[in-house]
Amino acid sequence: MSREATIRQILVITDGCSNIGPDPVEAARRAHRHGIVVNVIGIVGRGDAGEQGYHEAHSIADAGGGMCRIVQPADISATAQMMTHQTMQMTLQQVVNQELLAVMGKSTEDLPPAERARVMQVVEKLEDEVALHLVVCLDTSASMREKIPTVREAVRDLALSLKVRSGPLAVSVIAFPGKGEEATRLVQPFSSEVNVAALEAELVARGGTPTGPAIDHAADLLLSNARNVDEDAPRREFG
Amino acid sequence: MTGPARPLAPGTWVEGKWTHRRWRIRGVLGTGANGIVYAVERDDGLPGAMKVCETAGQVAFEWSLLNLVRGPGSPFPAPQQIDDSNRAGARFFYVMERISGKPLDKVWPALAPATRKQVMIRIVEGLAKLHATGHAFCDVKPQNVLVQEASGEVRFVDPGGVTPFGKAVRQFTPTTDGAFFGLCDRRAGAAYDVFAVALMAVSLDAPSPANLYDLPPEKRREWLLRAVADQVDGAWRPVWNRVLRREIRDADALRAAIAEVRVKVEQARAGQRDWTAAFMWASVASAVITTACAWALYLRII
Ligand SMILES: Nc1ncnc2c1ncn2[C@@H]1O[C@H](COP(=O)(O)OP(=O)(O)OP(=O)(O)O)[C@@H](O)[C@H]1O
Ligand SMILES: [Mg+2]
């Protein structure tokens, strides 16, 4: 089962409020309807983002079926890995729950606690073997200028964590805003590794914060990638 | 998902749905990324530590790891019970042996050189025992190593990172993660834990600079090598350098290398104790004077 399954996630890293384009919460909801999980890391600024930024970050994650954490720049990489891991686990847990319900008429929580451990070991094994398609959306608005080196290293670091899993990995990175009038920009297409040179060249802080368009762009990438892959073999989709 | 709510108040009873046992909350032992750990007492008086996580799955998974590493002489807390309750704030939990002692980073500054060596050896022995089962700890960090100051005994907490050799590390802390410094893969193995011990030791003597996170792994490694050269106790320098040069890759080799460390004889220690005593007397004296002044003011003597 695990070999043909794919988990799709979007990770948004931002330090503030969206101010351009469609509502990011709606964009996250749309993505989640297609089986994509949206996680958000909010970076603690010098009070600039404030209440509103935190509120938005949490609302995006809620609508996207993912998690949200507000952290210091130094904690981005460990947090990104923890969230990716935990939300993959959540997705797989849901799948396993559905199966338990179908087969036994029970969910994990109905099992005696000691028996749940066996279910979790299955989940753990699936997590290691499942294919992961991830789009990282990086806020490169003007306020991010000083944090960009930390964010760049955090993305490189996340790839280090993900590439040692047994399952196939495809990561793509987009930055928002894009060049000129564009709301977003593709920093790297899907690939099994993060292209650090591209990150170094492309991450330049400027302009506003089109978070909604970035999530829409990421979802498009994931869905068109899914269609391409679908043509090769019959696949089983999660979500 | 919402964040953790307020911790349960001391005195609260938590009743297990499956075992029908009851535990009384004594206080909070610690919180982490995965949950909160309470000091508890079972209805029959057995002391324990209760870990509460947000999901039933997380609790069950850690419980299975705790059972994996159990056994006589295990460095990890012995498992006691896993259960659910209807109490908000303790829906899913397990209870384990309560470990006494303080986190390594808290006791380290006050440890004599010979005790430091003892502690390091015990940490590595604990890892060797775990590695013999084909698992790595993968979360070696000062907060997860509890030291009993009197005896120098060492125990580990938080089995959440324990991983079979060869699998991806589940969660990491940058300052004790070899991959963060470009030393190794983020993959469970004896070498991963050995790097973590060295990084932990360096971190105890040399706080990492804030800009470390902006640097690529090669530059972080350069900082590390400089920190070992400049800030780490000279007696230990050869051991950590050999680890960083990848010459020491398992717990037994590390244990042997640490056994060779020649620590200074207690000397600085006596001076330190004198200083502490002097400081204590000074504070007592100043407290007395302050109180006297307060009374004097109150009674309008001055
Ligand atoms: N059995 C125990 N006995 C005494 N103290 C404990 C015990 N287990 C945990 N603690 C304390 O609680 C703290 C948090 O526990 P633990 O590390 O298990 O949580 P966590 O959520 O997994 O944390 P982390 O963020 O490190 O992953 C520990 O650092 C330790 O101080
Ligand atoms: Mg811990």
Side-chain angles (χ1 to χ4, degrees):
Chain A
M1 145 188 193
S2 57
R3 287 190 67 220
E4 62 264 24
T6 301
I7 288 188
R8 293 176 223 294
Q9 294 197 347
I10 297 173
L11 172 63
V12 180
I13 302 181
T14 177
D15 75 342
C17 278
S18 63
N19 50 21
I20 302 173
D23 180 5
V25 179
E26 283 312 312
R29 207 182 311 283
R30 275 194 294 279
H32 193 47
R33 246 183 256 129
H34 287 103
I36 298 168
V37 165
V38 186
N39 289 318
V40 185
I41 294 184
I43 305 174
V44 180
R46 292 166 304 272
D48 45 3
E51 289 271 310
Q52 212 189 336
Y54 296 173
H55 180 74
E56 184 185 271
H58 282 287
S59 307
I60 295 172
D62 280 343
M67 295 171 70
C68 172
R69 288 282 188 280
I70 309 294
V71 302
Q72 301 289 334
D75 295 327
I76 299 171
S77 76
T79 307
Q81 200 247 2
M82 181 274 288
M83 281 176 137
T84 310
H85 157 66
Q86 291 209 355
T87 47
M88 284 177 81
Q89 210 170 57
M90 270 159 41
T91 305
L92 293 166
Q93 174 87 64
Q94 281 157 12
V95 174
V96 171
N97 261 345
Q98 282 161 13
E99 254 162 48
L100 282 175
L101 271 178
V103 177
M104 308 174 35
K106 280 181 176 180
S107 78
T108 313
E109 290 176 19
D110 299 326
L111 294 174
E115 279 176 35
R116 291 174 201 158
R118 279 216 302 281
V119 176
M120 287 312 290
Q121 262 142 12
V122 173
V123 169
E124 188 72 4
K125 187 164 149 27
L126 288 176
E127 191 196 330
D128 182 57
E129 293 173 357
V130 74
L132 173 64
H133 293 186
L134 173 70
V135 181
V136 184
C137 298
L138 300 177
D139 175 351
T140 53
S141 59
S143 62
M144 286 289 291
R145 183 159 291 124
E146 284 166 25
K147 299 160 205 149
I148 278 184
T150 320
V151 169
R152 180 190 64 221
E153 292 310 319
V155 172
R156 182 208 304 254
D157 221 83
L158 177 63
L160 288 183
S161 300
L162 298 178
K163 78 170 192 206
V164 291
R165 295 182 328 116
S166 322
L169 170 70
V171 202
S172 169
V173 180
I174 61 184
F176 59 100
K179 290 199 177 90
E181 294 296 293
E182 292 168 352
T184 64
R185 172 171 30 130
L186 185 64
V187 177
Q188 82 162 52
F190 278 109
S191 151
S192 60
E193 272 179 44
V194 165
N195 179 345
V196 180
L199 279 183
E200 268 166 23
E202 296 280 325
L203 298 189
V204 181
R206 53 178 287 280
T209 315
T211 315
I215 293 174
D216 279 334
H217 186 176
D220 284 346
L221 286 176
L222 284 165
L223 294 175
S224 55
N225 198 43
R227 275 191 292 276
N228 291 344
V229 174
D230 270 348
E231 281 152 23
D232 305 347
R235 292 215 153 213
R236 183 195 153 110
E237 301 302 329
F238 284 164
Chain B
M1 285 172 82
T2 49
R6 242 182 325 136
L8 296 174
T12 310
W13 283 96
V14 175
E15 181 166 349
K17 273 198 242 175
W18 299 84
T19 62
H20 301 292
R21 300 222 66 136
R22 288 164 18 110
W23 290 268
R24 194 213 277 271
I25 303 283
R26 290 311 201 164
V28 175
L29 287 168
T31 52
N34 301 309
I36 179 161
V37 181
Y38 294 100
V40 294
E41 212 170 84
R42 203 165 66 183
D43 41 24
D44 61 354
L46 181 73
M50 174 185 284
K51 181 149 185 180
V52 179
C53 305
E54 262 183 61
T55 65
Q58 182 68 27
V59 166
F61 186 64
E62 278 198 22
W63 176 253
S64 68
L65 294 174
L66 206 55
N67 280 286
L68 194 80
V69 298
R70 73 188 298 172
S74 166
F76 286 96
Q80 292 177 354
Q81 234 126 26
I82 180 170
D83 212 333
D84 305 336
S85 85
N86 288 322
R87 169 133 353 241
R91 292 256 289 123
F92 310 109
F93 63 88
Y94 67 84
V95 186
M96 63 191 139
E97 176 191 4
R98 195 192 305 159
I99 309 280
S100 58
K102 294 208 191 107
L104 182 60
D105 51 326
K106 296 285 181 314
V107 300
W108 187 254
L111 291 183
T115 319
R116 287 183 174 186
K117 178 171 165 178
Q118 257 320 302
V119 165
M120 279 296 169
I121 286 191
R122 285 178 172 158
I123 292 171
V124 176
E125 284 172 349
L127 291 175
K129 208 169 283 172
L130 179 63
H131 292 171
T133 71
H135 294 83
F137 188 0
C138 302
D139 206 6
V140 176
K141 59 177 178 182
Q143 297 77 15
N144 284 347
V145 175
L146 301 191
V147 182
Q148 228 138 40
E149 277 166 295
S151 63
E153 201 202 325
V154 169
R155 301 288 301 273
F156 299 156
V157 290
D158 196 359
V162 171
T163 308
F165 283 178
K167 292 290 174 203
V169 170
R170 235 173 275 120
Q171 56 192 58
F172 67 94
T173 308
T175 42
T176 50
D177 169 54
F180 181 78
F181 290 93
L183 296 165
C184 59
D185 271 356
R186 196 164 283 147
R187 194 190 292 279
Y192 186 83
D193 280 350
V194 165
F195 279 126
V197 172
L199 293 169
M200 175 171 77
V202 175
S203 78
L204 290 168
D205 288 347
S208 53
N211 75 338
L212 200 59
Y213 297 89
D214 305 354
L215 305 175
E218 316 83 70
K219 288 273 185 320
R220 291 172 185 157
R221 190 167 56 218
E222 279 172 26
W223 171 82
L224 183 66
L225 293 172
R226 230 173 311 119
V228 174
D230 300 343
Q231 298 183 57
V232 166
D233 181 350
W236 289 86
R237 203 171 291 143
V239 179
W240 306 137
N241 273 328
R242 285 179 60 202
V243 174
L244 300 185
R245 285 199 304 265
R246 303 188 176 84
E247 291 166 21
I248 296 177
R249 310 208 31 107
D250 62 45
D252 288 337
L254 182 56
R255 194 200 177 287
I258 293 176
E260 298 281 297
V261 171
R262 297 171 60 103
V263 292
K264 285 185 231 78
V265 198
E266 312 269 310
Q267 206 173 25
R269 184 76 180 152
Q272 193 183 2
R273 214 173 274 136
D274 285 351
W275 180 84
T276 317
F279 179 77
M280 205 186 71
W281 282 113
S283 20
V284 169
S286 76
V288 169
I289 291 167
T290 315
T291 319
C293 287
W295 277 108
L297 276 175
Y298 179 69
L299 300 170
R300 294 170 198 274
I301 297 172
I302 34 178

